[in-house]
Amino acid sequence: MDGGKNTSGRVPLVTVLAANSVSTAGTSLTLIGVPWFVLETTGSAGRAGLVAFCATLPIVVSALIGGPVIDRIGRRRVAIASDTVCGLAVAAVPLLYFADALAFWMLCALMALNGLVHTPGNTARYVLVPDLAEHAGTTLARAASLFDAVSRGARMVGAALAGVLIALVGAETVLLLDAATFLASAALVAAGLRGVPAAQPVAAAAPVSLRAYRRELREGYAYLFGNRLLLGVVVMVLFMNGTDQGWNAVLLPVHTSAELGGARDLGLLTALFGAGGLTGALVYGAVGHRYSPRAVFSVCVVLCGAPRFLVAALTGTTLPLAVTMVLSGVAGGVLNPILTTVIYGSVPDALRSRVSGAITAGCELAMPVGGLAAGLLVESAGADGALLAMGAVYLLATLSPLVFPAWRTMDGVAPGGRGAPGVSGEREAPGEREAPGVGAPGAAPVSS
């Protein structure tokens, strides 16, 4: 009897893990397929950057205002609607292209629509993890570790598959497969989260109104700006994600097209970075509790970004960059477990959706500029100049944990707890905390 109940209790968590992995694999297909499609059809790095700008600006807008909406509508409904619209928007690109009816402005508009609805779905799945872990009778650390691990594995598989399929059947077919993954994710959530209380709309104390919405939105941002460590994380990751967007959407596709082996190498390098990330997350989950989270984070955040840009700028062969991508991926894989520990441990349950939305908005604020800037830099300074310039920005951003005092409090945040020193919210009873430093990997706002 107990075994049956436990199995039933695990279904919602398994559903979210599966849906998120399928959706993440589709996102990897988009990440590679869309820039390659633009480069193939227009031959312009500037236009690739413009498409990246159109795709990411709405992400920031939806993250800025979407936190209270997720609670009001319900996490299950938001996740289903998000994946469904993303699937239809991505499918429209190759279908219009095959019909010889795809204008460049249509491509920008469809990618903007995809970006607008993508973030709320990701946030809805992410904030469900603590509740579903409790429902499944497992620890938050284990559930969040699985969430991060399967996401990274899906990203790795999706990237490798994208590179191979682009070379074999073209970017248009890859985008159709991408659309199918989004629709499959929506179907999984619709079936697996039916009747789960945590996935339903939150009963609002105040009636639905613009005033109540503004109050709830303000609460999320007030909490973020009142927590110096979270604010420091957001500012640093803002610059990291901006330069990473330039790397993924423009610089790496241009570099592999001009200097390396084309789409296959693009997929290979992205997959190697994902494999390194998965390895780093698993290694940190196994031995991370032995070390200071701040010390580990400070080293790994420097290694995960700038070396990629430098090696790509100084070499024209695949092997050095492939090795660098693996090592940078391992370093990057350590970051999300630590940051998710900080987020889950610092934010009260009642504010989770709102604060997560505010954090996501801040972290993604520079992404539209990053893609556009990379395209313009390639056309004005060349690919190598653009790589060096954006790598320098990345390096400066990742030095912040060594400079600013707020980062010193990272070691004091309870991993997987509901409270932290200096943070309002429930606190765990003595003896119920895990050892400091044990990561709770999840969808922390680092793009690596």
Side-chain angles (χ1 to χ4, degrees):
M1 293 296 291
D2 290 340
K5 288 182 180 180
N6 290 338
T7 300
S8 177
R10 287 195 293 266
V11 169
L13 178 60
V14 171
T15 295
V16 167
L17 294 175
N20 198 67
S21 64
V22 171
S23 182
T24 300
T27 301
S28 289
L29 297 178
T30 304
L31 184 68
I32 294 176
V34 171
W36 202 263
F37 176 79
V38 176
L39 289 174
E40 277 189 336
T41 55
T42 70
S44 169
R47 285 202 165 193
L50 181 58
V51 171
F53 174 83
C54 293
T56 51
L57 181 61
I59 291 177
V60 178
V61 173
S62 65
L64 282 168
I65 64 175
V69 173
I70 295 171
D71 285 339
R72 295 277 187 173
I73 297 176
R75 295 160 182 173
R76 175 176 176 270
R77 293 174 182 173
V78 168
I80 294 170
S82 171
D83 280 333
T84 300
V85 175
C86 284
L88 295 176
V90 171
V93 174
L95 294 177
L96 287 171
Y97 178 76
F98 291 141
D100 199 24
L102 182 65
F104 183 70
W105 70 265
M106 294 180 185
L107 175 61
C108 291
L110 289 168
M111 289 300 99
L113 176 61
N114 180 76
L116 183 67
V117 300
H118 185 63
T119 294
N122 278 351
T123 302
R125 289 189 297 269
Y126 169 63
V127 298
L128 275 169
V129 172
D131 295 296
L132 298 186
E134 183 178 356
H135 185 67
T138 189
T139 65
L140 175 58
R142 289 177 181 172
S145 295
L146 283 171
F147 190 91
D148 190 64
V150 298
S151 295
R152 289 184 179 278
R155 190 177 298 121
M156 175 183 65
V157 172
L161 188 62
V164 172
L165 287 178
I166 288 173
L168 293 178
V169 297
E172 305 86 359
T173 303
V174 169
L175 293 180
L176 287 175
L177 178 60
D178 182 10
T181 63
F182 282 117
L183 297 177
S185 176
L188 282 169
V189 171
L193 295 186
R194 187 185 304 274
V196 175
Q200 303 308 308
V202 175
V208 176
S209 67
L210 180 59
R211 183 177 181 179
Y213 173 81
R214 289 170 60 185
R215 177 182 57 77
E216 293 173 5
L217 191 65
R218 187 166 55 248
E219 286 175 350
Y221 284 95
Y223 192 92
L224 172 60
F225 281 96
N227 187 306
R228 292 185 178 181
L229 177 57
L230 289 182
L231 189 59
V233 169
V234 167
V235 172
M236 183 193 70
V237 177
L238 179 151
F239 286 100
M240 293 172 65
N241 280 348
T243 49
D244 269 330
Q245 177 65 14
W247 169 266
N248 291 320
V250 179
L251 298 179
L252 186 58
V254 168
H255 180 68
T256 54
S257 177
E259 302 287 343
L260 307 181
R264 290 187 180 181
D265 277 356
L266 175 60
L268 171 65
L269 292 170
T270 307
L272 288 174
F273 188 80
L278 176 59
T279 303
L282 294 175
V283 169
Y284 183 81
V287 301
H289 62 282
R290 301 177 185 176
Y291 308 99
S292 159
R294 177 174 176 254
V296 174
F297 186 91
S298 299
V299 173
C300 290
V301 77
V302 173
L303 297 177
C304 79
R308 289 179 277 142
F309 293 82
L310 180 63
V311 172
L314 299 181
T315 64
T317 55
T318 302
L319 182 58
L321 185 55
V323 173
T324 305
M325 290 291 278
V326 173
L327 297 178
S328 294
V330 171
V334 171
L335 304 183
N336 275 3
I338 298 175
L339 290 185
T340 299
T341 299
V342 172
I343 294 169
Y344 281 154
S346 300
V347 182
D349 291 351
L351 295 177
R352 197 184 303 145
S353 294
R354 302 170 209 174
V355 177
S356 292
I359 290 172
T360 300
C363 289
E364 296 181 345
L365 195 61
M367 289 176 65
V369 178
L372 185 61
L376 296 176
L377 279 171
V378 169
E379 295 199 339
S380 61
D384 291 345
L387 284 165
L388 291 174
M390 299 201 79
V393 172
Y394 208 121
L395 177 62
L396 290 175
T398 55
L399 292 176
S400 62
L402 300 174
V403 177
F404 296 107
W407 289 89
R408 296 172 188 167
T409 64
M410 176 177 278
D411 287 340
V413 176
R418 292 183 178 177
V423 178
S424 61
E426 298 180 22
R427 298 187 182 275
E428 298 181 41
E432 289 184 354
R433 293 186 180 184
E434 298 173 35
V438 177
V446 175
S447 62
S448 55

